[in-house]
Amino acid sequence: MSTVLVIGAGDLGERLAAGLAAHPGVRRLLLAGRSGPQVADAVTTVLSSHDCLVEPVRLDALRVEDVASLLATSRPDLVVQCASRRSPWELVGRDDPVARAVAAAGIALRLPYQLAVPHAVMRAAREAGFPGPIANLSLPDVTGPILAALDLAPTIGLGNAGVVLLRARAAWRAAHPDAANTPLIRVVGHHAQVFDVMRADPPADPARRCRIYLDEPGHRDDDLAYQAPGLAPGPRYNHVTAAAALPVLTALLPDAPPLRWSAPAPHGLPGGYPVRIHDQAVSLDLPEGVTAEDAIAFNQRMSTGDGIDHIDDDGTVHFTPTCQEAVADIAADIAEPLPIADLAARAARLDDLLQS
């Protein structure tokens, strides 16, 4: 019976905590967050719904020493990192010039909000000598390779490629209503492609579509990713993200059966890939004839859709010309190269702009 630590008590953190608490292999669940009342409400909801020990933890996950201490004392079998400085949905519904420009630049421009917490958590894990798996929900397709450059990569990311997998499965089932089983479906794709998949709006250029592989031989059917009913962007996507994440999390528990799935950033790779999870270890599960080098190169090309031009060996992020142009008339400095050491200062600069 396992102990799981979930860091982040927002909407998705609570959803994942509830899903894990319902699993028979989880005996004890720690739900940690900065806001005491929010954590208490989430814990009460989960423990009232499932036969699992659920405990609240007040934690500022940006404080490396506090996270390291929690890991050392609680000794979880699995850590789920769901926290960020700000929600990626925060700009939804805003129509002011600054919000429009920042949104148009791509989600990578808001990396100071999405990277700071997983960076602190992974530093804490190294400091505490934590040996178990860590799954990261905070923009893993982009934060994963940055952290990998620092030798701090989480075990795996959550959502994104798994969301595409679920959408492709839904489309396949609709086309084959009498089939007894859904075939093996494997996805190579990047977070930058997920919104088109959710809206059922395939890119005009077939080369920029997610790669979908069917059955063991890996027959390509990329259109399948875009054939489920469309859904406009918004927090409702969290339902699908949680559904895509939970099989990965339960497969990472001790003594869990093996799982073949698709997920972002295994060991810090850019974008998402088919994976095998067994004995709390993650490996690529690419179809025969598809090399890791080709899949990685594809995802690196797709990352421009999020505003990423390239990432230096020291983790410094360089933004695309399109990203830079989007904010040139608002604040050109926020699209300058972003070193890890500048995360806090760049986050404060974004706060000033978005709250003015």
Side-chain angles (χ1 to χ4, degrees):
M1 299 293 286
S2 304
T3 295
V4 179
L5 168 62
V6 177
I7 299 174
D11 180 62
L12 268 168
E14 184 174 339
R15 289 177 190 273
L16 296 180
L20 287 162
H23 191 274
V26 178
R27 176 181 179 273
R28 178 178 177 232
L29 190 142
L30 308 177
L31 182 54
R34 289 184 64 179
S35 168
Q38 183 181 39
V39 172
D41 286 348
V43 164
T44 300
T45 302
V46 174
L47 67 82
S48 299
S49 308
H50 304 285
D51 291 332
C52 178
L53 298 172
V54 187
E55 303 170 24
V57 179
R58 184 80 176 271
L59 177 73
D60 181 350
L62 291 172
R63 294 178 57 85
V64 173
E65 62 275 21
D66 291 355
V67 179
S69 176
L70 178 60
L71 291 172
T73 56
S74 62
R75 304 178 66 181
D77 298 287
L78 168 65
V79 175
V80 186
Q81 199 307 105
C82 301
S84 62
R85 292 181 72 119
R86 290 190 179 277
S87 167
W89 298 115
E90 195 169 62
L91 299 183
V92 172
R94 285 185 55 170
D95 195 38
D96 54 282
V98 172
R100 287 201 307 270
V102 170
I107 187 67
L109 192 72
R110 286 174 275 165
L111 266 171
Y113 296 150
Q114 304 303 319
L115 177 58
V117 179
H119 180 230
V121 169
M122 295 310 299
R123 288 170 60 205
R126 183 167 63 185
E127 182 177 304
F130 177 70
I134 301 177
N136 173 44
L137 185 68
S138 185
L139 194 57
D141 303 64
V142 179
T143 60
I146 298 169
L147 294 169
L150 305 172
D151 196 27
L152 292 171
T155 309
I156 197 167
L158 300 171
N160 300 338
V163 168
V164 178
L165 169 63
L166 291 181
R167 295 279 292 175
R169 286 166 61 98
W172 191 93
R173 288 194 304 272
H176 303 84
D178 298 325
N181 298 297
T182 305
L184 174 66
I185 298 177
R186 288 177 278 187
V187 174
V188 174
H190 196 278
H191 168 267
Q193 300 170 291
V194 171
F195 276 32
D196 285 343
V197 170
M198 290 297 294
R199 292 181 299 217
D201 184 19
D205 181 358
R208 297 199 66 83
R209 297 176 187 176
C210 296
R211 296 181 176 181
I212 306 298
Y213 301 89
L214 294 182
D215 299 312
E216 203 63 59
H219 305 299
R220 285 281 290 275
D221 188 359
D222 298 351
D223 290 342
L224 199 62
Y226 304 92
Q227 292 173 351
L231 185 64
R236 188 173 292 275
Y237 282 15
N238 287 355
H239 290 271
V240 190
T241 299
L246 280 167
V248 171
L249 297 179
T250 56
L252 287 170
L253 295 172
D255 303 318
L259 174 72
R260 301 177 77 181
W261 201 251
S262 293
H267 303 294
L269 292 178
Y273 307 82
V275 295
R276 263 181 212 269
I277 302 175
H278 184 53
D279 287 339
Q280 294 191 292
V282 177
S283 59
L284 292 182
D285 184 28
L286 293 164
E288 185 176 351
V290 179
T291 67
E293 292 77 12
D294 177 62
I296 292 168
F298 172 77
N299 276 323
Q300 287 174 327
R301 292 195 298 274
M302 294 306 103
S303 70
T304 59
D306 274 340
I308 297 289
D309 186 87
H310 66 279
I311 299 167
D312 289 341
D313 290 343
D314 66 354
T316 298
V317 178
H318 296 259
F319 301 105
T320 61
T322 299
C323 173
Q324 295 168 355
E325 291 163 10
V327 296
D329 295 333
I330 300 297
D333 59 299
I334 62 175
E336 292 177 353
L338 177 64
I340 290 292
D342 288 356
L343 285 177
R346 191 70 61 90
R349 175 71 171 128
L350 283 167
D351 284 345
D352 289 342
L353 288 166
L354 290 168
Q355 293 170 8
S356 60

